[in-house]
Amino acid sequence: LKSADKTGDKNARYDYRTVNFLAKQLPIAMALSPRSLLVSRAMPESTAPYPFIGFAQHMPAEVSAQAAGTLVSVGNQCTAELGQIALLTRELQPIKATELVRASAALGVPNAPEVTGAAFTDTAIRARDDLNKFQVLHFATHGVTEGQWACAKAPPALVTSLGGPGSDAILSFDEVAQLKLDANLVVLSACDTSASVSIAGARAAGEESVDASLDGLVRAFLAAQARAVLSTYWPISDAGESEQLIGDFYAAARSGTIEGALQTAQVKLMNSAESSHPLYWGAFFLVGDGQKPLLSPAARTSLDAPANHLAVLAAR
């Protein structure tokens, strides 16, 4: 869109500042069902002691020719060759850890733990016993939809680095649902992170029912005891607007509600001629209880935690 109109007023055809979008008028959050709304509203705020942990920058995998044909289970009775998994991790460009730096700095936690590169594996995440100690989990990585690769049964998943034995370089729907969280919010800031899942896949992960439009990874994180999930409907812009939205969101979330912070960040982009088109801000949506604060008192008391202590948490 930025290069679509090169005559007269730059981007004039895509200036939507005068449009009275609903998100300009009030904060918006969605629910999977009326029952899920009541359940999420009844859940207390997180009592986790630490504010933020981020995951990003998966490491594209290389495997030997001999190992490439080794079959690995990727969940939901689906297998894939290691070579196929490695190709997937190389085709998707890693999202740089700078997104985590910007997010945590805007939140006022510049020394927040980050898990990146070779440490960002599916097996390492599943092995952690401290994920319930963080009120906000931020995943800057790609999502894959059900059946997008490997086989028709392959569950929706987040792409990670390839780890040791047992790793398949993806954190699948059922694996996410089994994580033990105590989070006010999980942020999934890349394309296809609202990927859908079939009824069979949902039941395999312990879910009672499936809504065709808001399921997949969002549903799995809610099942893992996240009060809300911030996700994306479509591939987000790589021209800097999404990074600005993330930074503005976390800055606004230092006070007020989660849904109010998202509205603040989106309206800032709406009010700029170059980013007023919904392409730049409309992909982000919130599911769950957006009326809770991002950080409850338990985490606010740890904002001044020593940097070396937080680094130890990241390395675990």
Side-chain angles (χ1 to χ4, degrees):
L1 288 179
K2 281 187 174 295
S3 60
D5 187 2
K6 297 182 179 180
T7 62
D9 185 13
K10 184 180 180 182
N11 297 322
R13 288 186 294 171
Y14 304 103
D15 186 350
Y16 282 67
R17 285 178 294 175
T18 60
V19 177
N20 193 24
F21 292 108
L22 181 62
K24 274 188 177 181
Q25 303 172 45
L26 73 164
I28 299 172
M30 290 169 273
L32 296 173
S33 67
R35 179 185 176 187
S36 70
L37 175 62
L38 294 175
V39 170
S40 65
R41 289 282 175 86
M43 291 179 67
E45 296 175 6
S46 169
T47 59
Y50 302 112
F52 180 99
I53 186 170
F55 303 85
Q57 204 166 311
H58 80 271
M59 188 169 68
E62 298 288 346
V63 297
S64 67
Q66 183 177 5
T70 302
L71 290 176
V72 176
S73 173
V74 297
N76 203 21
Q77 300 179 337
C78 178
T79 59
E81 294 183 347
L82 276 179
Q84 190 177 10
I85 293 172
L87 179 61
L88 174 70
T89 66
R90 294 196 298 270
E91 287 179 337
L92 297 172
Q93 184 175 0
I95 299 177
K96 295 180 180 179
T98 52
E99 178 174 312
L100 304 182
V101 174
R102 181 167 187 165
S104 60
L107 187 58
V109 197
N111 297 314
E114 301 171 6
V115 181
T116 61
F120 177 31
T121 70
D122 56 312
T123 46
I125 292 173
R126 289 189 284 114
R128 293 185 72 117
D129 62 0
D130 65 339
L131 292 179
N132 62 350
K133 295 184 183 298
F134 297 94
Q135 296 201 4
V136 180
L137 288 82
H138 186 117
F139 289 86
T141 189
H142 299 275
V144 291
T145 62
E146 183 175 45
Q148 181 178 338
W149 71 294
C151 71
K153 295 181 180 180
L158 292 176
V159 175
T160 71
S161 301
L162 182 64
S167 173
D168 56 15
I170 64 170
L171 191 65
S172 64
F173 170 86
D174 55 331
E175 292 171 338
V176 168
Q178 294 171 31
L179 297 177
K180 292 179 172 56
L181 308 181
D182 182 16
N184 284 327
L185 182 69
V186 171
V187 177
L188 307 175
S189 68
C191 60
D192 292 329
T193 52
S194 61
S196 63
V197 65
S198 66
I199 293 176
R203 287 175 177 168
E207 288 294 299
E208 295 180 3
S209 61
V210 174
D211 180 285
S213 60
L214 290 175
D215 48 15
L217 295 167
V218 171
R219 180 180 292 272
F221 276 106
L222 292 174
Q225 299 299 297
R227 279 65 168 177
V229 179
L230 179 61
S231 186
T232 53
Y233 277 127
W234 59 74
I236 56 179
S237 167
D238 60 359
E241 294 85 2
S242 59
E243 290 184 8
Q244 179 184 334
L245 185 145
I246 289 295
D248 290 340
F249 166 76
Y250 278 112
R254 295 175 72 168
S255 60
T257 64
I258 297 172
E259 62 187 15
L262 178 59
Q263 182 191 24
T264 296
Q266 289 179 317
V267 169
K268 282 191 175 182
L269 291 183
M270 292 180 208
N271 288 338
S272 171
E274 292 192 351
S275 59
S276 59
H277 193 286
L279 170 70
Y280 299 111
W281 54 264
F284 291 87
F285 68 98
L286 184 66
V287 180
D289 187 3
Q291 294 186 351
K292 284 184 171 61
L294 185 65
L295 298 181
S296 45
R300 291 187 180 279
T301 60
S302 68
L303 289 181
D304 296 324
N308 57 347
H309 178 60
L310 291 173
V312 169
L313 287 172
R316 291 187 61 180

